[in-house]
Amino acid sequence: MTGATTSGELRLHNLVRLLRAVHEGGAEATRSELTRDLGLSRGTAAVLMGELINGRLLREEITRQGTRGRPTGIPGPHPDGPLALAVDLREDVWTIAATELGGRLTVLEQQPHPGTPAPDVLNGLATAIHRHRQVLASRPVGVAVAAPGPVRDGHLLDIPHLGWREVDVVEALQPALLDNDATLAGLAEARRGALRTRGLGLHLHIEFDLGGTLILNGNPIPGSRGAAGEFGHMPLIGSDRPCPCGATGCWGLEVGANALLRATGRPPQDRPRALEILGDPAQQAVIDQAASILGVGISALVNALDPETVTLSGLGVDILARSAEALETSYKAGLMDFRREQPAAILPSTLGAEATLIGASELAFDAFLTPAGIGAWLSAHEKGPAN
C-alpha cells in the first residue's frame, strides 16, 4: 500500500522509491536493474528518470554493458544534487562531513574542543555548520548529529563523564537531527556494512564508553524514548565501582578507552593514548582483560536477544584484532549450551572511523527521501526540459 490517492502522489511515491533504490545500492545499479527490481515498466522508469535528472537529483552515465550490448545508464548523484551534512560529536573533537546520494562521504572539517562547558562546544559547532551551509548553497537537505551519550526524545543529550546533563542539542544546532553515536554506527552497519543482509543483528560501538543497538530489518530499535542500546550500563561486572551515569558496576567501565587508560595509569579522555595501549605488546594482559570482559557481555546479550550476527566498531575493531582468543573464549563460555553449536559470529566493522558519520548521513537522508522532501526539492530545483 502506497497511501497515494492521486496521480501526483503516486508519481512522488515512485520517485522516492527510485531514489531510495539508487541511494541504498550505492549508485551502482543500472537503470534496467532498477526498473526490474522496482517492478516498473520501461516507459515509467524513463519518465521518472527524466524528472529526477531535470530536478538535479540524479545524473546518468551511459555504459555499453547492457543486454545484448545495448547501452544502459547507471543513475548516480547529480553534481548539484542533495547533500546530507553529518556531524560526529565526540568528547574531545567534532567532525563535519557531507554525503551525496549513493553514500560517498567527504569530510569537510574537524576541530578539537575542550569538552565542557556544553554551550561553548555547541556554539562553535553551530557556527561551523552554518558556514558550510552557506558555502554549499541550496544543496544541504539536513543535518544529523551522532553524539557519545544517551539521547532522549530526539533532542536531550547526556554525556555523564563530561557533566553534560539534559543538553538540548537540537535547539542549539537548529535545524538538526540527533541520535546516539553507537545507534548510528549500527545504522551504518545495517545499511552499508556487515549487517546489511541480516534480519536481526546486534551492533556494539566502543570508544571511551560502550554502547550499541539492536538492528531489525535495517533499522535500530529505538526504545520508548529513543534511548535503547545503553548496553555498557548493564551491571555485569560484579563491582561496586560507581559509574558517572549514576549506576554501579557498569559493564562499560571495564571495556572502553577509559578502562584501558585507567588500567595503565593514564588520564581519561585521551583516545590517542588508548590507541597506543592497543598497539603496545607490553600491554597485552590489559587488552586481554578488556577483551574477556567484552566477551562476557556479548554472551549475555546474545543469550537474551538471539541476533544472527554481532558487529563491533570503534575501538572494538582493535580489541578484536589484538585479543580475539580471549574474547572468543569468554564469549563461548557465557553462551547457553544450544547456542555454542552455531554461535552468532562476532565481526569487525568494515566502515572504519567514518561509521558514525555514515550513520548520521543515513539518518538525514531517511528524513529527506520522503514524498514531502522530494517534492520540496523539485519545486526549488527544476530547471526546464531534461537534458
Side-chain angles (χ1 to χ4, degrees), residues 23-262:
H23 178 64
E24 291 169 4
E28 295 179 350
T30 65
R31 185 201 288 201
S32 59
E33 289 169 339
L34 293 165
T35 300
R36 180 198 64 211
D37 293 345
L38 295 174
L40 300 171
S41 69
R42 289 185 181 179
T44 298
V47 170
L48 293 173
M49 189 60 63
E51 186 165 359
L52 293 173
I53 293 171
N54 185 45
R56 304 183 189 183
L57 283 158
L58 295 179
R59 71 173 175 182
E60 195 169 28
E61 294 187 3
I62 302 301
T63 175
R64 288 270 173 193
Q65 297 177 356
T67 304
R68 297 176 184 173
R70 295 175 182 173
T72 184
I74 299 179
H78 193 282
D80 297 322
L83 295 172
L85 293 183
V87 179
D88 183 7
L89 173 61
R90 297 190 183 182
E91 289 93 335
D92 56 349
V93 65
W94 50 253
T95 305
I96 302 175
T99 304
E100 61 188 13
L101 284 169
R104 189 171 70 90
L105 181 146
T106 302
V107 172
L108 302 176
E109 181 177 358
Q110 185 175 79
Q111 295 290 342
H113 66 76
T116 54
D120 290 347
V121 174
L122 294 178
N123 287 341
L125 179 55
T127 299
I129 292 172
H130 178 70
R131 183 175 66 254
H132 289 294
R133 275 185 170 277
Q134 287 186 314
V135 171
L136 297 169
S138 62
R139 297 187 66 190
V141 294
V143 178
V145 181
V151 173
R152 285 168 291 138
D153 304 321
H155 67 112
L156 295 177
L157 170 67
D158 287 2
I159 309 180
H161 49 277
L162 295 186
W164 291 30
R165 305 282 182 177
E166 297 191 341
V167 176
D168 195 329
V169 173
V170 172
E171 182 179 13
L173 302 181
Q174 285 185 344
L177 300 170
L178 174 69
D179 212 331
N180 173 261
D181 58 353
T183 299
L184 292 179
L187 177 62
E189 208 63 45
R191 302 286 177 84
R192 308 280 171 187
L195 295 180
R196 186 167 182 172
T197 59
R198 304 296 193 270
L200 185 70
L202 173 65
H203 184 76
L204 298 175
H205 182 67
I206 302 171
E207 285 294 343
F208 292 110
D209 203 345
L210 182 154
T213 185
L214 189 65
I215 299 288
L216 179 62
N217 296 327
N219 292 295
I221 296 176
S224 63
R225 297 188 64 187
E230 292 297 327
F231 301 131
H233 297 288
M234 298 186 301
L236 291 178
I237 59 177
S239 165
D240 59 0
R241 184 192 299 276
C243 178
C245 78
T248 57
C250 289
W251 177 35
L253 288 173
E254 303 298 333
V255 175
N258 280 338
L260 295 172
L261 293 166
R262 185 176 63 249

Side-chain angles (χ1 to χ4, degrees), residues 245-301:
C245 78
T248 57
C250 289
W251 177 35
L253 288 173
E254 303 298 333
V255 175
N258 280 338
L260 295 172
L261 293 166
R262 185 176 63 249
T264 55
R266 314 285 178 84
Q269 265 61 266
D270 192 339
R271 193 176 191 276
R273 293 267 183 125
L275 289 171
E276 287 179 12
I277 294 168
L278 285 166
D280 184 356
Q283 302 296 341
Q284 190 62 46
V286 171
I287 301 166
D288 287 346
Q289 176 70 5
S292 180
I293 295 174
L294 177 58
V296 169
I298 293 175
S299 67
L301 289 168

